[in-house]
C-alpha cells in the first residue's frame, strides 16, 4: 500500500493522533465517523466543552497541559453526572505554523489522560485557523438507563456537599497574571505553585462518579464559580440554597490568601475553574458518600442546606454575601 | 423563580438555542450534559466536523447558511455511513461584538435544518473568541449493530457509484472569489448562481442512507474532492479504483465551464465541498440502489470499478489524469 498520495492532514492525524485511537470503534481515525456499541440498558451522557488560547488558558501554557485541561473539563462534567467515561472526539484549530514539537507533546499528554481516565479517542477534526489555538472536545459516558444525575432534582431538606477545595484555581489565575500578589497574600513558594497548578490542570473527580450516582439527588460540576453554579442548580431545581461560608473547604494556600486579604472571598466563591463537584443529598446519605469518597482519596464537605424558595445565599458572619458577579461568564 | 441572577451566557443560550432543544434528553440546555437513550441493538455513529470563518466559509456569508453548512457537513458523514441522524451538539466561538441579529438568524436556520433532517440539538458550548467565528459540531446517528458502512471494505470487482453531480461547489468557490470567471466560462446567470449556491449550502444525501446501508460494500462522503477521497477509500480498503472521467456526473453549469476551459477538470475532481456520497457495491446491486435513489429524487451514476492494486486512477480520453494536488487539505 502506497501512502505517497496521503494528504498532509492525513499524515498529521496518522502521526500524532492515530496512536491514541486504541479502540476498534475509532477505526484508526481513517473513516468519516466512529462507531460506539452502547452497553445494554445504559444511557449515553454527552457533554461538550472547549478552550481557546487567551480565553481559557494562557497562550504560553505547555501544549500537554492545554490538551489535558480540554479533556479534563469534559471528564469533570461526566463525573458530576455520575457517568463512567466512554470516549471522546476532538476538534482542533491550529494556528498556521504550529510546530511538530507542539503537536507531539499535545497528543502524547492527551493520550496519557485518555488512558488514565479510561476515555479513549474516537475521532476528530483538525484545521488550520488564522485565529488562536482552540480545542473543542465532546465526551461520552454511560449511566444505567434513566439514572443520569441532573441539576434539576434537588429537594428542600437536602444537604449541600462539595468535593475538594474551592477557589484555588481562581486565585491561581490572579497569581499567574501578577506574580507580585504572592507577596501581598503572604504565600510561600509551594502555595503559589499549587494555586497556579490548580488553574493549569483540573483534577476531575471521576473516581467519585459511582458514589454520586448512588447517593446524590442532584449534582453539577463547579466550573464557573461555586456561587454562580449553585445558583444555576437552584434555578433548575426551583429551590433555594443556604451556604455557611465558614464550612466551604479551602486549601492552606487559599486560607493564607484570605487571611491577608478577606475581600478575596468573592474570587474564591465566584472565580471558577474549580472542577469540583457540588451535589445535594438526603441528610442520611452523607455518611455513605463520605466513606466512598475516603476510599478514593477525595475529601467531601457539607457546606449548607437546600431550602424552599429561590436563590443561593452565602452566609458569612451572620450576613448574606453580595457578589458583584456571581458567575464567571464569557458574555 | 427569579432569573435576575442568570449570567449573560445563560441568557444567550436560553434566548437563541433553547427553542431548538426540543428533545427531553437535551434537558432544556440547562444541565452539564445531555442524555441519549440508544435504541436497542443499535450502534451509535459519531462524527465531528467544523467550520472557521475565512477557511471554510466567507466571513460575509449569511449567518443561517453558516449554521446550515456546519450541520450539513456532519449529516453528510452520517448519510455515507448508512446512519439515521439522532442528534448533535454544537460548540460556537463568537467574535466579540457578534450581534443579536446574527445569533437569531444562525439559531433559527440551525433549528430549521435540525427539524428537516430529524437531527435535534442536544447541547452545546458558547464562548467569545478574539479570533474568527468558528463552529464545531459533533453529530450522532444510529445503525443496526455491527452494520456501519466503512471505507475499508471495498472489494475488487465492485462498481463505484457517486450521487448527484461532482465539482459544482469547487467551481462555485472560484466564482465567489472572482465573479469575472462567469464570463470566461460562458455561464449564464442561473448557472453562476447555482454553482455558488452549491458551495454555500451542501445538500447532504441522508435520504439515501438506508439504501447505502442495504447495498454498499464501502462508502464515504465526498468532501475533500472525489480524487482524494476515493484515494483514501482505496488506501483504507487496500484496493485500486479505475474511474472513467467521462462518466462522472456533471451539472449543466459544470459542463459549460469545462467546455470553455478543459483544464478545470482538476478543480472539478479535486476541489472538494461536494457532500455527495461515493460508494462501492457488487455489480448486481446497482439496479436496486438506483431504484431506491429514484424514489427519493437522488441521481446515482456508475463511474468505475474497484480493482486489485492500489491508487485511484482517473482515465480521460485513454490517459490517466495527473493531479497537482489530489485532495483538498488544510495542511
Amino acid at each position: 500500500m502506497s501512502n505517497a498520495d496521503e494528504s498532509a492532514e492525513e499524515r498529521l492525524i496518522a502521526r500524532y493522533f492515530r496512536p491514541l485511537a486504541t479502540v476498534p470503534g475509532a477505526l484508526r481515525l481513517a473513516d468519516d465517523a466512529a462507531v460506539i456499541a452502547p452497553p445494554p440498558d445504559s444511557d449515553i451522557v454527552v457533554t461538550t466543552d472547549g478552550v481557546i488560547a487567551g480565553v481559557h488558558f494562557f497562550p504560553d501554557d505547555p501544549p500537554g497541559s492545554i490538551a489535558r485541561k480540554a479533556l479534563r473539563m469534559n471528564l469533570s462534567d461526566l463525573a458530576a453526572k455520575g457517568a463512567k467515561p466512554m470516549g471522546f472526539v476532538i476538534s482542533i484549530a491550529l494556528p498556521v505554523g504550529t510546530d511538530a514539537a507542539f503537536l507531539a507533546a499535545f497528543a502524547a499528554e492527551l493520550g496519557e489522560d485518555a488512558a488514565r481516565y479510561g476515555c479513549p479517542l474516537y475521532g476528530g477534526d483538525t484545521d488550520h485557523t488564522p485565529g488562536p489555538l482552540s480545542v473543542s472536545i465532546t465526551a461520552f459516558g454511560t449511566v444505567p438507563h434513566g439514572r443520569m444525575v441532573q441539576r434539576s432534582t434537588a429537594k428542600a431538606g437536602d444537604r449541600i456537599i462539595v468535593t475538594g477545595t474551592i477557589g484555588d484555581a481562581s486565585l491561581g489565575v490572579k497569581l499567574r497574571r501578577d506574580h507580585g500578589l504572592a507577596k501581598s497574600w503572604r504565600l510561600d513558594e509551594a502555595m503559589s505553585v499549587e494555586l497556579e497548578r490548580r488553574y493549569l490542570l483540573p483534577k476531575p473527580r471521576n473516581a467519585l462518579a459511582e458514589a454520586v450516582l448512588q447517593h446524590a439527588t442532584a449534582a453539577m460540576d463547579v466550573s464557573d464559580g461555586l456561587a454562580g453554579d449553585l445558583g444555576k442548580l437552584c434555578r433548575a431545581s426551583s429551590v433555594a440554597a443556604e451556604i455557611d461560608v465558614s464550612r466551604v473547604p479551602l486549601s492552606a494556600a487559599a486560607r493564607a490568601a484570605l487571611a491577608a486579604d478577606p475581600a478575596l472571598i468573592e474570587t474564591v466563591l465566584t472565580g471558577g475553574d474549580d472542577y469540583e463537584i457540588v451535589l445535594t443529598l438526603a441528610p442520611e446519605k452523607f455518611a455513605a458518600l463520605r466513606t466512598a469518597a475516603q476510599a478514593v482519596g477525595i475529601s467531601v464537605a457539607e457546606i449548607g442546606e437546600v431550602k424552599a424558595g429561590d436563590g443561593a445565599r452565602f452566609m458569612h458572619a451572620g450576613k448574606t454575601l453580595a457578589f458583584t458577579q456571581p458567575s464567571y461568564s464569557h458574555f
Side-chain angles (χ1 to χ4, degrees), chain A:
Chain A
M1 189 172 75
S2 159
N3 289 321
D5 292 333
E6 281 192 343
S7 70
E9 184 174 0
E10 279 177 290
R11 284 193 298 270
L12 183 153
I13 291 167
R15 176 160 182 191
Y16 298 109
F17 295 100
R18 185 162 297 157
L20 279 63
T22 53
V23 280
L27 300 170
R28 304 179 64 246
L29 308 183
D31 210 301
D32 306 75
V35 61
I36 294 177
D41 306 317
S42 293
D43 288 343
I44 309 273
V45 173
V46 184
T47 182
T48 188
D49 224 336
V51 293
I52 301 170
V55 180
H56 304 89
F57 62 90
F58 291 90
D60 61 344
D61 280 348
S65 302
I66 299 165
R68 288 187 200 267
K69 184 168 189 171
L71 182 56
R72 291 180 182 200
M73 290 163 69
N74 286 279
L75 285 163
S76 180
D77 284 322
L78 293 180
K81 304 291 97 182
K84 185 173 183 288
M86 192 179 194
F88 72 103
V89 296
I90 189 167
S91 179
I92 311 175
L94 296 167
V96 179
T98 302
D99 64 18
F102 183 98
L103 282 165
F106 184 97
E109 296 201 32
L110 186 68
E112 278 179 28
D113 265 10
R116 176 188 308 212
Y117 291 95
C119 191
L121 178 66
Y122 271 87
D125 179 37
T126 50
D127 286 304
H128 270 151
T129 175
L133 173 69
S134 67
V135 180
S136 178
I137 285 180
T138 300
F140 319 98
T142 55
V143 287
H145 178 59
R147 295 282 308 281
M148 190 184 93
V149 182
Q150 300 187 18
R151 286 185 192 173
S152 59
T153 40
K155 289 178 194 66
D158 285 349
R159 299 295 191 261
I160 300 168
I161 315 295
V162 73
T163 59
T165 57
I166 293 296
D168 298 315
S170 57
L171 294 171
V173 70
K174 285 198 176 224
L175 282 175
R176 180 76 186 269
R177 290 203 182 103
D178 177 3
H179 289 283
L181 286 171
K183 198 176 166 197
S184 50
W185 293 354
R186 294 175 214 143
L187 302 181
D188 62 30
E189 179 66 15
M191 286 174 170
S192 302
V193 167
E194 175 59 12
L195 293 179
E196 289 199 32
R197 196 200 56 76
R198 281 292 302 262
Y199 175 74
L200 187 65
L201 201 58
K203 210 166 170 178
R205 302 306 190 176
N206 298 81
L208 202 66
E210 179 63 28
V212 171
L213 186 70
Q214 292 304 323
H215 303 300
T217 52
M220 66 184 293
D221 87 323
V222 183
S223 54
D224 293 336
L226 181 63
D229 285 342
L230 200 53
K232 290 174 195 171
L233 188 144
C234 286
R235 282 194 290 284
S237 294
S238 300
V239 295
E242 191 168 299
I243 302 300
D244 178 351
V245 171
S246 70
R247 300 174 77 181
V248 172
L250 302 177
S251 67
R255 282 198 303 271
L258 273 173
D261 180 359
L264 287 172
I265 191 66
E266 173 147 355
T267 301
V268 165
L269 295 175
T270 69
D273 272 309
D274 294 293
Y275 300 103
E276 298 290 355
I277 298 174
V278 61
L279 62 91
T280 58
L281 44 57
E284 66 273 17
K285 299 274 191 155
F286 182 51
L289 178 81
R290 193 169 43 194
T291 302
Q294 280 169 344
V296 293
I298 296 174
S299 61
V300 290
E302 187 182 319
I303 59 170
E305 191 173 341
V306 179
K307 309 256 187 190
D310 63 71
R313 285 184 297 283
F314 283 74
M315 308 302 296
H316 193 46
K319 286 188 196 154
T320 303
L321 289 182
F323 302 118
T324 322
Q325 189 192 30
S327 185
Y328 180 79
S329 173
H330 298 294
F331 294 94

